[in-house]
Amino acid sequence: YSVLNKLDDALKSFQASLEIKQRLGLKKGIADSLESIAQCEAAQGKPDAALKDYNQSLQIRRDIGDKAGEGDVLTDLAQFNDDHGKFDDGLKLLKEALQVEIQVGNTSNQGLVLNNIGNTYLLKGDFEDARTYFERALQVRQDLKMPNDIADTMHNLGEVSSRMGAYDQATTQYMKVLDLRRSVGDKRGAALESASIGELFDYIGRYGAALS
């Protein structure tokens, strides 16, 4: 139901699952359900309810020592804050999440969190810090040989270059991402990358190239 964007139906199922887990005293399961409920509530435009359930999930995970789950909720809470324009709060949560992911040794999630920190700095307009964290995320993702994630972070570096007025560098970065997405058969990603390149060309007055 979540994937189908039928959020009311998804919420009913998550709440029914929560009730069963509460009767059975399954604390980790309760935390999982609360996090899923919060995600639905956030998507439905119920920020107060979502924040309450995120925080309950986080507290339970900390109480039972579920470090991996703690990192997940911190990342979700950071995104929640970013979505509401609270970028400094989001950064604080993401940097806390990064330390947790380092403790549990989840390198893939470290790459995700580093990328998210870069995105938050980008939203703040702090381009130098954004680039620093994107470069760290890219290194992690290249080490793990994760082509789709590598492409996402390379695209973000192109965004930074574009925002800083380094249009030739941005074009080169976007073109590399386009080649990478095509090489792994990501047709949708390649189309979106082409759109980004077109928007950049339009902005700098290369209208023929933009239309192409």
Side-chain angles (χ1 to χ4, degrees):
Y1 282 132
S2 294
V3 172
L4 292 169
N5 203 34
K6 295 183 177 181
L7 298 178
D8 289 338
D9 291 322
L11 191 58
K12 288 178 184 176
S13 292
F14 286 136
Q15 288 171 334
S17 175
L18 175 62
E19 290 172 6
I20 294 169
K21 291 168 181 174
Q22 286 172 330
R23 287 202 302 271
L24 295 173
L26 303 174
K27 291 187 177 181
K28 185 180 183 304
I30 291 168
D32 290 341
S33 290
L34 284 168
E35 186 174 359
S36 297
I37 288 168
Q39 290 167 346
C40 274
E41 290 167 335
Q44 289 178 317
K46 301 174 181 176
D48 293 340
L51 185 59
K52 178 183 176 183
D53 288 327
Y54 274 136
N55 283 326
Q56 284 186 358
S57 176
L58 180 60
Q59 187 58 56
I60 291 170
R61 294 192 191 282
R62 284 174 168 166
D63 289 344
I64 64 175
D66 177 14
K67 281 290 188 181
E70 180 183 348
D72 290 341
V73 180
L74 286 168
T75 302
D76 281 349
L77 267 171
Q79 185 62 57
F80 177 86
N81 278 279
D82 281 358
D83 290 343
H84 291 83
K86 297 180 179 179
F87 304 128
D88 289 333
D89 291 338
L91 283 170
K92 181 180 178 181
L93 290 163
L94 283 170
K95 289 179 180 179
E96 190 176 347
L98 180 60
Q99 294 306 310
V100 171
E101 300 300 352
I102 291 170
Q103 287 175 21
V104 300
N106 191 324
T107 310
S108 176
N109 277 0
Q110 288 173 41
L112 171 65
V113 175
L114 286 165
N115 190 73
N116 288 357
I117 293 173
N119 273 325
T120 305
Y121 275 123
L122 185 61
L123 290 168
K124 283 189 67 175
D126 188 341
F127 303 131
E128 289 293 349
D129 281 332
R131 181 163 57 189
T132 296
Y133 278 93
F134 285 142
E135 287 173 347
R136 289 178 61 187
L138 181 61
Q139 185 61 61
V140 170
R141 290 175 160 184
Q142 286 174 332
D143 290 345
L144 292 172
K145 296 180 173 57
M146 305 166 69
N148 289 323
D149 290 339
I150 290 168
D152 289 343
T153 301
M154 287 175 63
H155 171 86
N156 292 338
L157 282 165
E159 286 285 306
V160 172
S161 297
S162 179
R163 301 282 184 90
M164 296 179 75
Y167 301 123
D168 289 344
Q169 183 178 19
T171 301
T172 299
Q173 289 166 322
Y174 284 146
M175 293 300 293
K176 286 181 179 178
V177 179
L178 179 59
D179 289 341
L180 178 56
R181 293 197 191 282
R182 286 172 172 166
S183 72
V184 297
D186 181 7
K187 293 183 179 181
R188 182 177 182 276
L192 291 172
E193 209 62 44
S194 291
S196 294
I197 297 167
E199 289 169 2
L200 175 61
F201 285 162
D202 179 46
Y203 183 75
I204 62 178
R206 294 180 59 185
Y207 302 121
L211 183 61
S212 175

